[in-house]
Amino acid sequence: MFAKQHTVALAAAALFLGASAAHAGTSWVATKTQGLQPAHALAANIRDAGELTAGQTLRVAISLKLRNKAELDALTNAIQRGATKRRLSKAEFMSRHAPTQVQVDTVVKHLQSSGFRNIKVAANHLLITADGSAATAKTAFNTTLHTYSYKGQQRYANTTAAMVPSHLGDTVLAVAGLQNLHQFHTTLVRRAASKAYHRLDQMAHNPTDFSTIYNADSLPPASNTTVGIISEGDLSQTLSDLQAFTSGAGFNPVSTKVINAGAASSDTDGTVEWNLDSQDIVAAAGGAVQQLNFYVATSMSNADITAALNAAVSDNAAKVVNVSLGECENDAQTDGMVASDDQIFQSAVAQGQIFSVSTGDSGSQECQSGPGQSYPAVSPFVIAVGGTTLDTSGTTGYQSESTWNGGGGGPSTTESAPAWQTGVLTINPGQRGVPDISFDADPATGANVLVNGSIQPVGGTSLAAPLFSGFWARIESAGGNNLGYPAPSIYKAFPSNASLYNDVNDGSSNGDYSAGPGWDYATGWGSLNVGNLYSFIKQNGF
């Protein structure tokens, strides 16, 4: 037995040494994935415990570069200006902008020769996932991984930039999965059971209330529009609770589909989040969608969430996709996520898909060690949805909204301002500002979510984003699913059409930024008056 194990160990060592020798004379080029920054590590009190064990397993997601990027930029810029209604079909995207099969095969060959296994290529060729170890990652990407003590847990991260052989430099964009210090997190906030609320207008709402509150009842349900939810782990309880919710609300059962972007996971930590998303999307959508697709990540790691985001875009079935997740944009940029995921979102815009993304629940300081907002909310290719505190008469009579101090918002540190934000940004005008719009997010006035037979009051921008997802799906469905990315039209139409939105100008802040008339960093434009907006779109287009 010992001899057999010894032989296997020698063979593995020989494979590693052989791969290392094969790469010894290689010319390397850097990707967008940087190494852990020492200053950042010190600020976060991260302790370096030395090089990661060679056999430590990990899963990577390699992002490949779009082809004919200038051509795609021209198309998405025209879409965002409202200059064209053209959208790319799957076939057009593959023929003009997806990496070629030859490019894919070359990257796969490199991964195989480095020792990676379980290599899978996304249908749109933008992403290749693979399983390996610290040793295979070192061989494939010419980087070293270290172990770190972080918040009482053992984590790992690459200490230098991920690199690829020079012949792959025009193909590989970034490599996610080389670190797990920084990961995605949900953006929900539970209402504190011990906190007393004495104001009658501060109460949690049934998800069905929001349609009336935001004046959406005049629209037909979103029966012709498929909606996606980026999620993670085991969704069994969420699917069961969704059917119980729809039955209790008097809705027909919702057709659902689970698309695993990686290996199936038994993690149920996100159940309340996915329940919040699904129940509020269906309710805001008027009780019906064509289908509700869950694009499921194996974990909250950057590699796995990127795979789920790309699965939604590669599938190109969901017209509206909800993302109630985020992480500090500075960490996302260091890891290459900003570069890799932005091209995923850009592809979505070109295909006519809309991503609705929560801005986080840390107010103006998502990045605790300094300035920075939540990614992917700051991407110029998504709708960033912030948070308000909702005041109602009874449960459904809209009174007003004020700034919720937890709502994420402020200037981005990593993304440039898109052209359609020109003229509204008051601080760092060259940087993308978030949010674009806001909805109820205060847990004191949030949603009563059904979880395994009991009701839980929940808020956070994890409520605001699915409200927009459901409402916009309703507008899309009524409009024949031909509206596309709405941000530029919102910024163009709202200044001279005050009836289209509920302006929040109470002067209170989310930390560093205060609400005022029109667009601001605390609440964006405020919330939508859905019925008025739909009437405007019918008359004027969007």
Side-chain angles (χ1 to χ4, degrees):
M1 183 66 176
F2 172 78
K4 183 177 180 180
Q5 290 176 335
H6 185 62
T7 300
V8 171
L10 287 174
L15 176 64
F16 170 67
L17 290 172
S20 298
H23 289 79
T26 302
S27 174
W28 298 88
V29 295
T31 69
K32 292 291 186 179
T33 299
Q34 305 167 37
L36 181 68
Q37 303 300 309
H40 189 165
L42 281 174
N45 296 314
I46 301 171
R47 186 176 63 82
D48 190 337
E51 190 167 349
L52 185 63
T53 304
Q56 171 70 49
T57 60
L58 47 82
R59 184 169 189 257
V60 297
I62 299 94
S63 294
L64 307 190
K65 296 178 181 178
L66 290 161
R67 286 187 299 122
N68 300 315
K69 184 67 161 51
E71 178 184 310
L72 187 65
D73 289 345
L75 174 60
T76 53
N77 287 339
I79 290 172
Q80 292 185 326
R81 293 196 314 272
T84 182
K85 293 290 185 180
R86 172 169 158 70
R87 303 293 183 267
L88 293 179
S89 66
K90 282 186 179 181
E92 288 175 311
F93 178 82
M94 293 302 295
S95 66
R96 295 296 305 160
H97 303 294
T100 66
Q101 189 63 53
V102 171
Q103 289 177 303
V104 168
D105 291 343
T106 304
V107 176
V108 169
K109 182 179 179 180
H110 173 66
L111 295 174
Q112 289 172 333
S113 68
S114 301
F116 279 100
R117 63 191 184 283
N118 192 29
I119 300 170
K120 296 182 178 179
V121 179
N124 65 356
H125 289 184
L126 288 185
L127 205 67
I128 300 176
T129 58
D131 296 328
S133 66
T136 52
K138 185 174 185 176
T139 300
F141 307 116
N142 196 30
T143 187
T144 300
L145 281 68
H146 276 216
T147 300
Y148 295 90
S149 177
Y150 179 62
K151 296 183 178 179
Q153 297 180 327
Q154 290 300 112
R155 300 290 182 88
Y156 59 84
N158 53 304
T159 58
T160 57
M163 308 184 83
V164 292
S166 56
H167 71 279
L168 298 178
D170 291 335
T171 300
V172 175
L173 179 65
V175 183
L178 300 179
Q179 64 84 28
N180 63 1
L181 275 170
H182 310 294
Q183 303 187 54
F184 276 88
H185 58 81
T186 59
T187 53
L188 65 79
V189 179
R190 290 177 171 85
R191 179 169 173 169
S194 61
K195 188 173 182 179
Y197 295 92
H198 302 293
R199 287 171 51 187
L200 294 179
D201 57 0
Q202 286 201 328
M203 62 182 75
H205 298 272
N206 291 328
T208 53
D209 292 343
F210 292 110
S211 178
T212 303
I213 290 169
Y214 289 110
N215 190 29
D217 288 346
S218 60
L219 278 72
S223 304
N224 300 317
T225 299
T226 294
V227 179
I229 298 175
I230 303 300
S231 51
E232 178 267 346
D234 184 353
L235 296 184
S236 301
Q237 187 65 54
T238 292
L239 296 175
S240 174
D241 289 340
L242 178 60
Q243 299 311 327
F245 166 75
T246 54
S247 176
F251 300 147
N252 290 326
V254 176
S255 173
T256 60
K257 185 177 182 181
V258 174
I259 299 99
N260 284 305
S265 168
S266 60
D267 183 20
T268 57
D269 287 348
T271 295
V272 177
E273 175 65 72
W274 323 133
N275 284 25
L276 174 68
D277 290 350
S278 56
Q279 292 172 28
D280 283 281
I281 285 172
V282 170
V289 293
Q290 186 177 62
Q291 187 164 276
L292 195 60
N293 288 354
F294 294 86
Y295 298 95
V296 189
T298 304
S299 75
M300 287 291 194
S301 74
N302 288 355
D304 287 339
I305 296 298
T306 295
L309 294 169
N310 189 61
V313 176
S314 183
D315 188 33
N316 196 16
K319 186 69 177 178
V320 183
V321 183
N322 188 81
V323 186
S324 294
L325 301 167
E327 69 172 278
C328 167
E329 62 174 310
N330 302 323
D331 296 331
Q333 184 181 52
T334 297
D335 201 31
M337 290 282 291
V338 171
S340 62
D341 290 11
D342 268 4
Q343 71 169 15
I344 292 172
F345 296 129
Q346 182 181 10
S347 301
V349 170
Q351 294 177 164
Q353 295 177 286
I354 298 93
F355 275 78
S356 169
V357 183
S358 57
T359 59
D361 306 326
S362 300
S364 59
Q365 293 288 335
E366 172 67 25
C367 300
Q368 301 300 316
S369 59
Q373 301 304 312
S374 182
Y375 188 83
V378 294
S379 172
F381 302 109
V382 308
I383 301 297
V385 189
T388 67
T389 297
L390 175 65
D391 291 346
T392 60
S393 172
T395 58
T396 59
Y398 183 90
Q399 294 278 79
S400 65
E401 284 169 279
S402 55
T403 304
W404 177 52
N405 60 10
S412 170
T413 58
T414 63
E415 300 274 19
S416 298
W420 38 267
Q421 282 199 312
T422 300
V424 304
L425 302 176
T426 55
I427 303 171
N428 294 345
Q431 299 301 116
R432 165 79 156 117
V434 294
D436 296 312
I437 56 172
S438 294
F439 282 101
D440 185 25
D442 189 333
T445 63
N448 287 318
V449 180
L450 179 64
V451 183
N452 196 20
S454 65
I455 296 295
Q456 296 188 20
V458 185
T461 53
S462 278
L463 168 60
L467 287 177
F468 174 73
S469 294
F471 290 141
W472 192 255
R474 208 164 173 172
I475 292 173
E476 280 281 4
S477 185
N481 293 320
N482 291 316
L483 296 180
Y485 186 64
S489 296
I490 286 174
Y491 280 78
K492 180 180 179 180
F494 280 23
S496 56
N497 294 278
S499 68
L500 305 183
Y501 66 103
N502 304 305
D503 192 10
V504 179
N505 57 12
D506 62 339
S508 56
S509 74
N510 68 345
D512 292 330
Y513 308 106
S514 300
W519 187 92
D520 52 67
Y521 288 112
T523 62
W525 290 105
S527 64
L528 304 182
N529 184 313
V530 181
N532 288 1
L533 178 60
Y534 174 59
S535 296
F536 178 86
I537 291 172
K538 283 199 302 182
Q539 295 173 6
N540 301 281
F542 217 54

